[in-house]
């Protein structure tokens, strides 16, 4: 089974590093599909894998000709951390306090499917959709809080939401949106891991597959960032759209499987 989880980590984070998806949006539905772990364990496996990918990707990006808008991305990241705490608190309340894990799993899959469909439609028709350049810091922070809340509650790391928002509200091209998304994901997943370590007893989770997924995440980050340097914006966007469609269909299957 460790080979399967290594491949999941590798595949998800390679695509995540190329297209700014992060990987959690792929890992979460796939682990739901296989059904080996509960939602809380999946959240930790996903966050640790994506964080390892984001770390090596950011190190490699320092030598690339991409622009990270550190001010705006840092504001979004800060908001994402705050929103992440709120989203995780809401998730824990429903799953641990009320014990409706199955109901939350169904709701997560439905909400994620709707968001992915909207993102796919946006990128398909973005040439006729007006894009903006938001500069108000309070608005940017608020955007980060909303992104963090949704991403944490859904357990996806925020990748596709980040990319769509960076494109729509900050007029970034596909490659720069992907790289800035990785920057945001690094901080959001770090906070998710810290929060999990502080608020839960890690020993209660079955994390036997975690080392293999982290190794997959590191390798995926190296491979994905290598390819980002060599491909065009159009190719990045195409990979993003194909990945979104694939994840959408997995989520639709998971809704019926639940």
């Amino acid at each position: 089974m460790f080979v399967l989880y290594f491949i999941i980590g590798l595949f998800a984070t390679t695509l995540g590093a190329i297209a700014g998806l992060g990987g959690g949006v792929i890992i979460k539905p796939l682990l739901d599909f296989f059904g080996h772990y509960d939602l809380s364990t999946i959240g930790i496996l996903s966050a640790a894998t994506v964080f390892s990918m984001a770390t090596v990707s950011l190190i490699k990006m320092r030598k690339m000709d991409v622009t990270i808008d550190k001010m705006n991305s840092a504001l979004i990241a800060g908001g994402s951390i705050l929103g992440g705490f709120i989203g995780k608190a809401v998730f824990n309340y429903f799953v641990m306090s009320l014990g409706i894990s199955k109901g939350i799993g169904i709701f997560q899959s439905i909400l994620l499917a709707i968001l992915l469909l909207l993102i796919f439609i946006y990128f398909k028709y973005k040439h006729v959709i007006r894009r903006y350049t938001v500069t108000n810091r309070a608005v940017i922070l608020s955007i980060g809080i909303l992104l963090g809340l949704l991403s944490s509650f859904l357990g996806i790391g925020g990748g596709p939401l980040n990319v769509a928002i960076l494109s729509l509200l900050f007029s970034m091209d596909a490659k720069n949106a992907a790289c800035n998304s990785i920057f945001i994901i690094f901080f959001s997943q770090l906070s998710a891991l810290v929060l999990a370590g502080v608020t839960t007893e890690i020993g209660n989770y079955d994390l036997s597959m975690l080392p293999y997924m982290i190794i997959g995440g590191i390798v995926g980050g190296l491979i994905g960032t290598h390819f980002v340097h060599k491909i065009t914006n159009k190719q990045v966007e195409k990979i993003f759209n194909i990945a979104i469609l694939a994840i959408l269909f997995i989520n639709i299957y998971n809704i019926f499987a639940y």
Side-chain angles (χ1 to χ4, degrees):
M1 199 163 79
F2 70 87
V3 176
L4 171 65
Y5 279 83
F6 168 78
I7 292 173
I8 290 172
L10 175 64
F11 172 72
T13 54
T14 298
L15 283 179
I18 292 173
L21 293 168
V25 72
I26 301 172
I27 293 170
K28 201 282 181 178
L30 281 177
L31 296 194
D32 274 347
F33 173 78
F34 288 110
H36 297 150
Y37 296 106
D38 60 33
L39 293 177
S40 297
T41 304
I42 289 172
I44 293 175
L45 292 173
S46 175
T49 305
V50 174
F51 177 71
S52 65
M53 177 280 296
T55 302
V56 297
S57 294
L58 287 176
I59 292 171
K60 287 205 71 175
M61 280 178 196
R62 293 171 63 187
K63 301 177 181 179
M64 292 171 56
D65 57 347
V66 294
T67 303
I68 292 181
D69 186 342
K70 292 183 179 178
M71 176 57 73
N72 288 337
S73 291
L75 281 170
I76 295 173
S80 293
I81 292 171
L82 178 57
F85 289 149
I86 299 169
K88 186 56 69 175
V90 172
F91 174 85
N92 288 341
Y93 174 74
F94 284 108
V95 172
M96 297 179 180
S97 299
L98 298 184
I100 52 174
S101 179
K102 185 176 180 179
I104 290 300
I106 295 171
F107 181 71
Q108 282 180 322
S109 294
I110 292 172
L111 180 56
L112 183 55
I114 292 170
L115 289 172
L116 291 172
L117 181 60
L118 291 174
I119 290 168
F120 179 79
I121 291 171
Y122 163 71
F123 277 101
K124 186 171 179 62
Y125 297 103
K126 75 171 187 175
H127 58 284
V128 296
I129 297 174
R130 181 183 174 186
R131 296 199 289 170
Y132 302 87
T133 304
V134 177
T135 56
N136 186 293
R137 293 184 180 182
V139 173
I140 296 171
L141 186 65
S142 299
I143 291 168
I145 292 172
L146 179 60
L147 286 175
L149 194 159
L150 285 171
S151 301
S152 179
F153 178 76
L154 294 172
I156 61 170
L161 298 174
N162 294 343
V163 174
I165 290 297
L166 290 168
S167 172
L168 175 64
L169 298 183
F170 298 93
S171 299
M172 291 188 186
D173 60 36
K175 192 178 288 190
N176 278 320
C179 292
N180 279 272
S181 175
I182 298 298
F183 179 82
I184 296 165
I185 286 167
F186 171 84
F187 291 101
S188 65
Q189 295 308 284
L190 175 60
S191 67
L193 290 171
V194 171
L195 183 63
V198 170
T199 60
T200 60
E201 182 57 57
I202 297 297
N204 293 335
Y205 296 103
D206 177 7
L207 301 179
S208 55
M209 293 296 112
L210 183 58
Y212 308 106
M213 294 191 73
I214 288 177
I215 293 170
I218 292 170
V219 177
L222 293 171
I223 294 172
T225 310
H226 173 77
F227 278 108
V228 166
H229 187 59
K230 297 182 177 296
I231 62 179
T232 64
N233 275 301
K234 195 167 185 179
Q235 289 171 321
V236 170
E237 200 166 303
K238 189 172 184 179
I239 291 169
F240 180 89
N241 287 334
I242 292 171
I244 289 294
L245 269 183
I247 303 161
L248 176 60
F249 286 125
I250 294 171
N251 269 280
I252 292 172
Y253 174 84
N254 286 341
I255 291 168
F256 290 101
Y258 269 117

